[in-house]
Amino acid sequence: MEISDIFWNASLEELKRGYIQDNDSYLCLLCGEKVEKGIVYPHENIFYEAERYMRIHIELTHQSVFESLLGMDKKLTGLTDHQKGLLRLFYQGKSDKEVQEELGLGSTSTIRHHRFALKEKERQAKSFLAMMELLKEKDQYAPAFLPVHKTARMVDERYNITQEEQEKIISKYFPEGTNKRLNKFPPKEKQRLVILREITKQLKPDHMYTEQELNQTLKVIYEDHVMIRRYLIEYGFLDRKPDGSKYWLKK
């Protein structure tokens, strides 16, 4: 199961702490880093058991679960940039007066109004989540939709695609299997999303590619490697340095 699937299937408590566990390991929901149980891990000349080390990993790599969630696309959080800015300051423990001064907003009563609006959003989210959980028990016709990857730069209608449709698209454009060459690049947005997701599976996580190395890797998959590289960036799967000297899979 991909990390995006695991992320969206995690419980609220698991999302809050940023990782899940199974019998053998702990898995970071933010990037997919895995830490095996029964092993001690060194950090700054101190050894930590696996779960404690996973918390250190989240702090070092992601700053915090809160910051990582806040950095997601607004279509995934339902928050405006202004609301994100307020939440970040509240999370830092700043008073209404300090928030008002930092943002240059009207008065402390304005900040209290924003707090109330965010609290109202929380109540709405809780009731909606409860309804959707209850709906799962009754809606036998609900399709399994393609999960949205957390690094998506734009969440829109292209994600309205089911698992069944995904399998058909993969079979059409990778008729010999996903470990073989792509026969052509799809013309439609939804199809491109599916194919690009499959292509990322052939790239190494936690690896910094030079432009030449990435081009060579993509050429094996499809002749127009420059176009594939461009779309991987456009769809939020790939990131790069401003000068194009290094490329890497986004987490």
Side-chain angles (χ1 to χ4, degrees):
M1 186 180 291
E2 295 181 26
I3 187 62
S4 290
D5 300 292
I6 298 171
F7 179 89
W8 294 117
N9 285 314
S11 68
L12 179 59
E13 287 303 314
E14 289 169 336
L15 286 176
K16 283 169 60 180
R17 69 174 182 241
Y19 61 91
I20 61 172
Q21 65 172 309
D22 57 25
N23 293 332
D24 303 313
S25 61
Y26 296 94
L27 179 73
C28 178
L29 290 169
L30 309 177
C31 68
E33 179 77 16
K34 182 176 284 190
V35 174
E36 293 185 26
K37 293 180 179 179
I39 298 177
V40 291
Y41 295 84
H43 173 65
E44 296 184 347
N45 298 319
I46 299 175
F47 288 90
Y48 297 91
E49 53 84 26
E51 186 169 14
R52 178 71 181 106
Y53 185 75
M54 175 56 74
R55 293 198 291 269
I56 291 172
H57 158 78
I58 289 174
E59 181 179 340
L60 292 176
T61 308
H62 308 289
Q63 187 176 344
S64 70
V65 176
F66 185 89
E67 280 295 332
S68 185
L69 295 175
L70 206 60
M72 292 168 63
D73 187 273
K74 63 177 65 177
K75 287 286 186 73
L76 300 179
T77 63
L79 296 169
T80 64
D81 291 339
H82 179 61
Q83 288 172 325
K84 288 182 178 182
L86 285 165
L87 284 170
R88 181 172 284 112
L89 293 175
F90 294 152
Y91 188 74
Q92 291 171 3
K94 297 194 175 183
S95 67
D96 289 358
K97 180 66 175 173
E98 290 171 325
V99 173
Q100 179 266 323
E101 290 175 349
E102 183 155 342
L103 295 180
L105 297 176
S107 64
T108 54
S109 62
T110 303
I111 304 302
R112 284 197 298 274
H113 172 75
H114 284 301
R115 283 188 184 273
F116 177 81
L118 288 167
K119 200 67 180 177
E120 186 70 11
K121 196 173 185 70
E122 178 193 13
R123 287 190 286 267
Q124 292 169 348
K126 281 184 176 179
S127 58
F128 181 71
L129 182 59
M131 285 187 287
M132 291 303 293
E133 287 296 314
L134 291 168
L135 179 60
K136 287 179 185 177
E137 301 171 7
K138 297 289 186 179
D139 189 4
Q140 58 180 311
Y141 300 107
F145 287 104
L146 184 70
V148 179
H149 59 285
K150 298 194 289 82
T151 58
R153 298 179 64 181
M154 183 182 297
V155 182
D156 52 27
E157 187 63 22
R158 77 187 77 175
Y159 287 89
N160 181 13
I161 185 167
T162 65
Q163 297 287 352
E164 183 180 358
E165 290 171 322
Q166 175 182 237
E167 292 171 6
K168 290 180 180 179
I169 292 169
I170 292 172
S171 296
K172 178 179 180 180
Y173 291 97
F174 283 106
E176 298 180 33
T178 53
N179 60 336
K180 301 295 183 180
R181 287 180 63 83
L182 179 68
N183 63 358
K184 68 175 181 177
F185 193 66
K188 296 181 180 179
E189 295 281 352
K190 289 183 180 181
Q191 296 171 332
R192 289 175 180 174
L193 173 63
V194 171
I195 295 307
L196 290 169
R197 280 170 58 103
E198 287 303 310
I199 290 174
T200 61
K201 294 177 183 178
Q202 300 187 45
L203 299 178
K204 302 173 187 175
D206 302 315
H207 182 74
M208 299 291 286
Y209 286 89
T210 63
E211 183 173 340
Q212 182 180 6
E213 183 184 11
L214 180 63
N215 288 345
Q216 287 299 120
T217 302
L218 295 179
K219 278 181 184 179
V220 175
I221 301 170
Y222 192 63
E223 55 189 17
D224 193 347
H225 61 279
V226 175
M227 179 186 66
I228 297 295
R229 190 183 69 205
R230 184 178 72 249
Y231 275 115
L232 285 171
I233 294 171
E234 180 181 319
Y235 278 68
F237 291 108
L238 204 65
D239 207 347
R240 66 174 181 175
K241 288 188 175 182
D243 62 0
S245 61
K246 294 290 182 181
Y247 294 79
W248 62 92
L249 281 175
K250 295 178 73 174
K251 297 181 178 181

